[in-house]
Amino acid sequence: MKSTFKLTTLLTALVLLCSACEKPENPTGNGSDNSDPKERTIVYSVGETENRKTLNTDSEWDAMLDQFCNQAQNGSEVVFYNMSQTTYIQSKGASKTNRTINTTNRDEMKKWMKDMEKQGLTVRVTYNDTTGTWHGEAYATAPTTNTNDMIIGIWRLNCMVVTQTDENNHLVNSDLFAPFEGSTMYYRFYNDGSMTISVVNSIDSVTDSGTWSLTSDGELCSEMLPNGVNWNVNWISPNSMILSRSDLDTDDGNYFYQLQFDAVNSTKK
């Protein structure tokens, strides 16, 4: 049997389709200054290979940045994004303006990469062997080039992370929500701008349809996404997609939302 539902608010998505899982660790405690947390989960690609790694110390992060510089020098394009929202909430929302750097100084390049990561931006690094120059690009939402084609297909919702900070942007709470055990939630994007959402379990499946589009800034917009507003495309690859958005200066402080999707391999080229 198939029925229809509407996912028009974040509350509906959380209460009806998701259950709270183990909360991400708060490195500094509720209400404390979170300006320099240590733990990070970095999703990164080197050429065509994508990986994720959890880092527990700043020294591990520094070593990874050295590794990225080396891989760029060896001819690979390196792209990375910090999935841990509690690392960069102090930025109160990343600027939509893309940032770039060209430098022959390795330390300057690493410092720039650290600064961009703290602002919640995705970073792309290449190296010109002829001039000995690193080139970096950082952005809040993926460039529109190729993004439209990469979105088309079926994506399984992995989880949603909701982070709250107070008026001074100190961490108050961070929760991770995932579909109820035994249920799977699929988002299917079609190339004509239509889309469907299906929730499937062992007893039933429910489906609804809507539309989607990319804004001129590259944000993903659909009434079928929680709150029906624009989402930054922080990361998109043949394997995964990460979206984020923020509600700043509400009566309860600032809220940061992240959606994590896994590609259904049979539909991704």
Side-chain angles (χ1 to χ4, degrees), residues 243-260:
L243 310 179
S244 71
R245 59 174 297 271
S246 58
D247 282 335
L248 305 179
D249 301 320
T250 73
D251 291 342
D252 297 319
N254 306 305
Y255 285 88
F256 300 83
Y257 306 97
Q258 184 184 92
L259 297 173
Q260 299 177 20

Side-chain angles (χ1 to χ4, degrees), residues 11-175:
L11 181 62
T12 301
L14 296 184
V15 174
L16 297 183
L17 298 176
C18 299
S19 57
C21 299
E22 182 179 355
K23 297 179 183 178
E25 288 188 9
N26 173 4
T28 55
N30 288 345
S32 61
D33 185 1
N34 191 46
S35 60
D36 190 25
K38 301 297 188 289
E39 185 173 312
R40 299 166 173 83
T41 298
I42 304 295
V43 56
Y44 64 97
S45 64
V46 179
E48 299 297 322
T49 303
E50 179 180 324
N51 287 289
R52 297 184 185 186
K53 187 172 183 179
T54 298
L55 309 175
N56 297 304
T57 66
D58 281 341
S59 61
E60 290 179 346
W61 177 223
D62 194 72
M64 174 169 267
L65 292 176
D66 267 323
Q67 178 181 329
F68 288 160
C69 287
N70 291 339
Q71 290 165 328
Q73 280 186 296
N74 289 333
S76 296
E77 178 184 75
V78 178
V79 187
F80 69 86
Y81 172 68
N82 180 6
M83 298 173 59
S84 302
Q85 288 183 306
T86 52
T87 303
Y88 58 78
I89 56 175
Q90 68 274 9
S91 67
K92 293 191 67 173
S95 167
K96 300 299 181 184
T97 304
N98 289 1
R99 325 289 175 81
T100 61
I101 187 175
N102 291 287
T103 180
T104 58
N105 187 303
R106 185 187 188 95
D107 290 337
E108 182 182 8
M109 187 65 198
K110 287 175 58 180
K111 181 181 183 304
W112 182 86
M113 292 160 71
K114 288 180 180 180
D115 289 342
M116 297 303 100
E117 175 262 348
K118 285 184 177 180
Q119 295 180 45
L121 301 176
T122 304
V123 178
R124 186 185 306 271
V125 179
T126 56
Y127 183 79
N128 187 320
D129 188 56
T130 301
T131 62
T133 302
W134 281 278
H135 172 72
E137 302 174 16
Y139 46 84
T141 190
T144 55
T145 305
N146 297 327
T147 301
N148 189 86
D149 291 340
M150 294 185 72
I151 289 174
I152 295 168
I154 302 177
W155 299 88
R156 180 182 64 84
L157 178 65
N158 183 301
C159 67
M160 175 187 296
V161 180
V162 182
T163 302
Q164 179 189 6
T165 67
D166 63 20
E167 60 183 5
N168 296 314
N169 220 39
H170 296 156
L171 182 62
V172 174
N173 194 37
S174 187
D175 283 305

